[in-house]
Amino acid sequence: MQTNPTPPPSPPPYSSLVAVGDSFTEGMSDLLPDGSYRGWADVLAARMAARTPGFRYANLAVRGKLIGQIVDEQVPTAVAMNADVVTLVGGLNDTLRPKCDMVRVRDLLTEAVERLAPSCRQLVLMRSPGRRGPVLERFRPRMEELFACVDELAARHGALVVDLYGAPALADPRLWDVDRLHLTAEGHRRVAEAVWQTLGHEPEDSEWHVPMAATLPPGWVERRVADARFARQHLLPWIGRRLTGRSSGDGRPPKRPDLVPYEGYEGQAQPPRPDDPVGVG
């Protein structure tokens, strides 16, 4: 006698989400017509809200924030909200600084997790995506040290880990914006799908991690034009902020500071404006 297979368990009915982090969680460079950013956390919140009446969402992320700033400015607020799900992505901005104390970064990330984990039903951590190229190779040892810490903390505190770093699709330069630091709208959609599945939901795109179909690479002239545009619009302003001790997040409030019902956004994401500052530092 043949029996029907046991269906997989349904994910718990989460009723609230708080996102903590930097430009990656703020949603750069998934720009909407009104000039705001959407990003993976908003896409995820919209999905969860569609299935849970009264679903509440807060996004405390601010571009350019270092892990110490996240611990000081965002973690206490997130703890007080007692949300069902909290996502924490931080520390990558620190690893991209010329002088980076990885012991301090690990200690601060540990403090963040130790404070957030008891305050929510499910903490979600991530191994951030990395774009193929010389920047990734230069900072890969620091990034992998950060991600090893993420794995250790998740095992210790029962957090989920979304491995974006190991996803071949998210290494594709075509899923990264012209600033070479932030994902496109399609990249953010894939991240939202990854988190969605990690939380136990049925896939809406079971191949989010599969690389895009191959296309002809740009020619030499096109690459040099892109390099010059990148240097002028993004790299030189970033260096200027480093020299003056400023950050692209200085003076910016959290994206969505209150844990309130989520209504979502109208319209589609648009290409980023060339004058919008990059989110790292």
Side-chain angles (χ1 to χ4, degrees), residues 67 94-95 100-111 142 145-146 149:
I67 186 62
D94 298 78
T95 69
C100 173
D101 182 349
M102 286 303 299
V103 172
R104 182 173 184 272
V105 171
R106 293 196 307 269
D107 288 346
L108 287 167
L109 183 61
T110 299
E111 178 183 348
R142 290 180 183 175
E145 183 176 350
L146 176 68
C149 181

Side-chain angles (χ1 to χ4, degrees), residues 43-109:
V43 175
L44 176 66
R47 288 191 187 184
M48 298 174 80
R51 290 159 175 79
T52 307
F55 182 85
R56 296 175 301 151
Y57 169 52
N59 190 324
L60 307 179
V62 178
R63 68 194 67 174
K65 293 300 181 181
L66 303 174
I67 186 62
Q69 294 170 309
I70 291 172
V71 169
D72 291 342
E73 300 167 11
Q74 299 178 33
V75 168
T77 303
V79 167
M81 288 177 171
N82 292 118
D84 283 350
V85 178
V86 174
T87 64
L88 167 64
V89 187
L92 198 63
N93 281 343
D94 298 78
T95 69
L96 299 179
R97 295 292 180 107
K99 296 181 180 179
C100 173
D101 182 349
M102 286 303 299
V103 172
R104 182 173 184 272
V105 171
R106 293 196 307 269
D107 288 346
L108 287 167
L109 183 61

Side-chain angles (χ1 to χ4, degrees), residues 9-273:
S10 300
Y14 296 124
S15 63
S16 54
L17 167 68
V18 174
V20 174
D22 51 34
S23 59
F24 174 68
T25 301
E26 184 184 344
M28 296 177 73
S29 289
D30 186 4
L31 192 67
L32 292 165
D34 66 359
S36 64
Y37 289 105
R38 180 170 50 187
W40 66 266
D42 287 10
V43 175
L44 176 66
R47 288 191 187 184
M48 298 174 80
R51 290 159 175 79
T52 307
F55 182 85
R56 296 175 301 151
Y57 169 52
N59 190 324
L60 307 179
V62 178
R63 68 194 67 174
K65 293 300 181 181
L66 303 174
I67 186 62
Q69 294 170 309
I70 291 172
V71 169
D72 291 342
E73 300 167 11
Q74 299 178 33
V75 168
T77 303
V79 167
M81 288 177 171
N82 292 118
D84 283 350
V85 178
V86 174
T87 64
L88 167 64
V89 187
L92 198 63
N93 281 343
D94 298 78
T95 69
L96 299 179
R97 295 292 180 107
K99 296 181 180 179
C100 173
D101 182 349
M102 286 303 299
V103 172
R104 182 173 184 272
V105 171
R106 293 196 307 269
D107 288 346
L108 287 167
L109 183 61
T110 299
E111 178 183 348
V113 170
E114 289 178 344
R115 293 168 66 182
L116 288 170
S119 75
C120 63
R121 289 174 59 192
Q122 185 60 68
L123 178 63
V124 179
L125 307 176
M126 296 188 200
R127 295 161 58 92
S128 304
R131 180 185 186 274
R132 287 196 303 267
V135 173
L136 175 62
E137 294 309 314
R138 178 180 178 186
F139 296 103
R140 185 187 294 275
R142 290 180 183 175
M143 293 171 63
E144 293 186 345
E145 183 176 350
L146 176 68
F147 300 154
C149 181
V150 166
D151 291 342
E152 293 168 5
L153 290 170
R156 193 183 313 157
H157 295 278
L160 299 173
V161 178
V162 185
D163 185 13
L164 306 173
Y165 183 70
L170 294 178
D172 190 327
R174 291 172 295 175
L175 288 180
W176 294 75
D177 188 51
V178 293
D179 65 12
R180 305 180 183 181
L181 288 170
H182 301 105
L183 293 169
T184 63
E186 172 61 13
H188 279 285
R189 184 198 67 79
R190 292 181 183 233
V191 171
E193 179 67 33
V195 183
W196 175 256
Q197 292 183 29
T198 301
L199 285 170
H201 294 283
E202 285 293 317
E204 294 190 10
D205 175 11
S206 60
E207 298 186 342
W208 68 267
H209 57 285
V210 176
M212 299 169 62
T215 58
L216 289 175
W220 186 89
V221 173
E222 186 177 351
R223 294 198 305 273
R224 298 295 78 77
V225 170
D227 288 345
R229 184 185 302 116
F230 162 72
R232 182 178 67 255
Q233 296 178 354
H234 301 287
L235 180 60
L236 292 178
W238 182 84
I239 293 173
R241 291 195 297 275
R242 294 285 67 70
L243 295 175
T244 57
R246 293 178 294 116
S247 166
S248 58
D250 288 348
R252 289 184 179 269
K255 177 178 181 177
R256 185 181 173 90
D258 300 313
L259 187 61
V260 295
Y262 184 62
E263 303 296 336
Y265 288 105
E266 298 293 333
Q268 300 295 318
Q270 300 295 320
R273 295 165 296 184

